[in-house]
């Protein structure tokens, strides 16, 4: 028999007295939280999952939080992580107003069915090029997904220079002699919090699916590679992910300086003579200055958090052995024109440039991306170099280690999208996946309510994958037939995803890897000259 504990009974009575149908209270191991009730869904927002390393503690791994006393209010989102507030051109992704930001931003949100018992968990990582975005964006609201019988968790993680800076002084003070990847360590800390606490909300810590789009999809691949994240998730969803060349911590690689060298140059650029000066700078000023100097946040190959280049890890079968759902959008680049090289004056100029750059691969390249429609070919080239090739690579590599893979091509449009010239643009599948057709950013093409059935279908696919590891009978696994779900006016299973696309990029990337040349959006007109044939390539 357990001993009589008056204090414990008093605390339980206090929780019972403060909870209500509209303000549910959950007593989790990390501390009690009060949320809100939205129909049959309980929502808890702005829950801290780690101690934020701010100011003089900046650029350190996140530390576990001690359990708090009392009941913490969890009815409102926490602030977004600090991100550049510099004036940028208004885009389809621009929010109606600047996000509230803070260095104290390591929070997560939970949407859970009121009757959840050992429910599977959908762990969402937002996109934004590792430099912007937030879990508070309305399209990520998890209520409709939770109505499918899953628990939704969305997180904030450190962004930009505050989340991804490497520097020799930071490596020197680290017990492991590494730096960078702090935003990724935040994601792992959030997964650890889920493992420790989600059962209190009705979730099953053994049934976690990591998911993300764009930089969130990139983060999913980082987590799949990292040994430090192994065992914290059992399935993965990567939407519009990109398996590009990564900077290495201490040495130049693929034509790029080491991550530590970039950090040294950044410190000089903001006139910070040492690490103390960098830590003493105002977070917003530092973030804006780093963005203006061209700092590009990315995962760093450090031998510990990310042991090797992602392409190598997946080639060697060292990634997490989990089922994957992955895909990309037909019009990815229509809203990301910065990734597309400037079109030449004529089709003849286009073909001449491609032949100069691709040599013996030129005929095959021009068959895929013809000069006759060269402006569309330019968009398709950048799309496939980043997202199409990565999608098929993920599917093939998971299949090679005996895991099922499910591939989609989002090719859906509607009148307002067509009028804006944004057919199936980057991230346009997200409102359908989350079931949130409104509200959306001001410049986002207004979505018709008649698309609700398609959204319901998408919600069902994603939720079934989270529950079972398969999206349903209507969506077969990729397999030898290279089967994928082609989503236009409605979803339809088809075979043979973009014939020739994967082979083209795999051959080019193989040669570049052998020659020490980067692979990212430098394809087509932006490509360097094709390296010579190398052993194991072509």
């Amino acid at each position: 028999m357990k001993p009589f504990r008056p204090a414990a009974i008093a605390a339980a009575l206090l929780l019972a007295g403060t909870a209500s149908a509209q303000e549910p209270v959950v007593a989790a191991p990390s501390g009690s939280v009060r949320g809100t009730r939205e129909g049959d869904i309980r929502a808890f927002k702005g829950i801290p999952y780690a101690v934020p390393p701010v100011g003089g503690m900046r650029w350190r791994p996140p530390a576990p939080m001690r359990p708090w006393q009392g009941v913490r209010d969890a009815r409102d989102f926490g602030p977004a992580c600090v991100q550049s507030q510099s004036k940028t051109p208004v885009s389809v992704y621009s929010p109606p107003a600047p996000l509230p930001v803070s260095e104290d931003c390591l929070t997560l949100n939970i949407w859970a069915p009121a009757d959840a018992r050992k429910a599977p968990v959908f762990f969402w990582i937002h996109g934004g090029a590792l430099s912007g975005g937030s879990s508070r964006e309305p399209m990520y609201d998890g209520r409709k997904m939770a109505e499918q019988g899953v628990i939704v968790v969305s997180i904030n993680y450190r962004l930009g220079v505050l989340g991804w800076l490497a520097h020799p002084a930071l490596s020197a003070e680290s017990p492991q002699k590494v730096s960078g990847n702090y935003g990724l360590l935040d994601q792992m800390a959030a997964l650890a919090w889920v493992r420790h606490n989600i059962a209190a909300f009705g979730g099953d810590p053994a049934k976690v699916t990591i998911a993300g789009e764009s930089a969130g999809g990139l983060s999913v691949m980082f987590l799949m590679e990292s040994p430090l994240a192994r065992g914290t998730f059992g399935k993965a969803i990567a939407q519009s992910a990109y398996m590009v060349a990564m900077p290495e911590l201490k040495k130049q690689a693929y034509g790029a300086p080491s991550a530590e060298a970039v950090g040294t140059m950044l410190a000089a650029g903001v006139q910070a003579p040492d690490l103390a000066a960098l830590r003493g700078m105002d977070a917003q000023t530092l973030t804006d200055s780093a963005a203006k100097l061209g700092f590009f946040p990315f995962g760093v190959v450090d031998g510990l958090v990310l042991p090797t280049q992602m392409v190598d890890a997946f080639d060697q079968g060292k990634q997490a052995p989990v089922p994957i759902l992955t895909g990309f959008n037909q019009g990815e680049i229509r809203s990301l024109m910065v990734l597309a090289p400037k079109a030449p004056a004529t089709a003849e100029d286009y073909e001449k440039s491609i032949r100069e750059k691709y040599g013996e691969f030129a005929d095959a390249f021009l068959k895929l991306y013809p000069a006759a429609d060269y402006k569309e070919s330019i968009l398709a080239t950048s799309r496939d170099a980043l997202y199409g090739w990565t999608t098929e690579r993920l599917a093939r590599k998971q299949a090679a280690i005996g895991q099922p893979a499910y591939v989609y091509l989002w090719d859906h449009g509607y009148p307002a999208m067509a009028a804006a010239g944004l057919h199936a643009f980057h991230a346009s599948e997200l409102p359908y996946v989350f079931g949130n057709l409104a509200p959306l950013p001001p410049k986002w093409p207004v979505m018709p309510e008649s698309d609700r059935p398609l959204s319901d279908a998408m919600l069902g696919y994603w939720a079934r994958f989270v529950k079972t590891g398969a999206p349903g009978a209507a969506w077969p696994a990729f397999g030898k037939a290279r089967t994928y779900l082609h989503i236009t006016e409605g979803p339809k299973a088809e075979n043979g995803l973009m014939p020739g696309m994967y082979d083209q990029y795999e051959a080019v990337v193989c040669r570049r890897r052998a020659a020490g040349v980067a692979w990212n959006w430098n394809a087509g007109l932006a490509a360097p000259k094709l390296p010579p044939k190398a052993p194991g390539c072509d």
Side-chain angles (χ1 to χ4, degrees), residues 40 59 80 103 140-141 155 161 171 193 196 205 232 290 316 468 470 495 506:
D40 293 331
W59 299 303
E103 277 196 278
Y140 302 150
D141 185 286
I155 69 167
V161 68
S171 298
W193 189 96
H196 186 53
T232 60
Q316 296 162 13
T468 69
N495 294 332
E506 190 70 13

Side-chain angles (χ1 to χ4, degrees), residues 93-94 101 144 276 301 309 312 361 523:
Y93 308 109
S94 300
V101 300
K144 288 189 179 298
V301 177
Q309 291 285 335
D312 295 328
F361 286 4

Side-chain angles (χ1 to χ4, degrees), residues 464-506:
R464 280 191 293 274
F465 180 81
V466 172
K467 292 175 182 178
T468 69
W475 187 345
F478 188 70
K480 293 182 179 179
R482 298 169 57 246
T483 304
Y484 65 102
L485 196 71
H486 192 185
I487 307 163
T488 54
E489 292 307 303
K492 180 182 178 182
E494 298 181 2
N495 294 332
L497 177 66
M498 293 187 176
M501 178 271 291
Y502 177 79
D503 293 337
Q504 168 73 217
Y505 286 96
E506 190 70 13

Side-chain angles (χ1 to χ4, degrees), residues 116-136:
R117 298 291 184 274
K118 289 188 174 295
V121 179
F122 177 80
F123 181 92
W124 180 253
I125 307 167
H126 71 77
L130 303 180
S131 60
S134 167
S135 64
R136 67 187 294 136

Side-chain angles (χ1 to χ4, degrees), residues 24-26 37 39-44 110-122 142-143 145-153 197-205 207 467:
V25 171
V26 168
R37 184 75 176 255
D40 293 331
I41 303 302
R42 298 181 300 167
F44 304 87
I110 298 171
W111 289 265
D115 60 354
R117 298 291 184 274
K118 289 188 174 295
V121 179
F122 177 80
R143 182 172 65 88
M145 177 74 76
E147 288 173 353
Q148 301 290 311
V150 304
I151 289 180
V152 176
V153 177
N197 289 276
I198 205 64
F201 297 85
D204 188 340
K207 295 180 180 178
K467 292 175 182 178

Side-chain angles (χ1 to χ4, degrees), residues 211-256:
E213 183 269 344
S214 195
L218 172 69
S219 296
V220 165
M221 294 191 300
F222 286 158
L223 292 167
M224 290 176 71
E225 177 188 341
S226 180
L228 304 186
R230 204 58 47 87
T232 60
F233 59 91
K235 293 180 283 293
I237 299 174
Q239 301 169 218
S240 299
Y242 42 105
M243 194 181 286
V244 300
M246 300 158 62
E248 304 211 1
L249 182 63
K250 295 182 178 295
K251 66 179 182 180
Q252 179 178 332
Y254 302 108

Side-chain angles (χ1 to χ4, degrees), residues 2-16 27 32 69-71:
K2 292 183 179 179
F4 177 68
R5 291 190 178 130
I9 292 177
L13 290 174
L14 176 63
L15 289 182
S32 298
Q69 301 298 312
V71 181

Side-chain angles (χ1 to χ4, degrees), residues 375-417:
K375 291 183 179 179
E376 284 297 314
S377 290
I378 290 170
L379 299 181
T381 297
S382 297
R383 174 198 68 204
D384 294 348
L386 288 170
Y387 310 110
W389 169 72
T390 298
T391 289
E392 185 155 349
R393 198 167 213 275
L394 280 172
R396 288 179 178 235
K397 298 304 179 181
Q398 291 310 100
I401 59 172
Q403 295 296 323
Y406 300 90
V407 171
Y408 69 86
L409 172 61
W410 177 258
D411 197 6
H412 178 72
Y414 50 86
M417 188 188 283

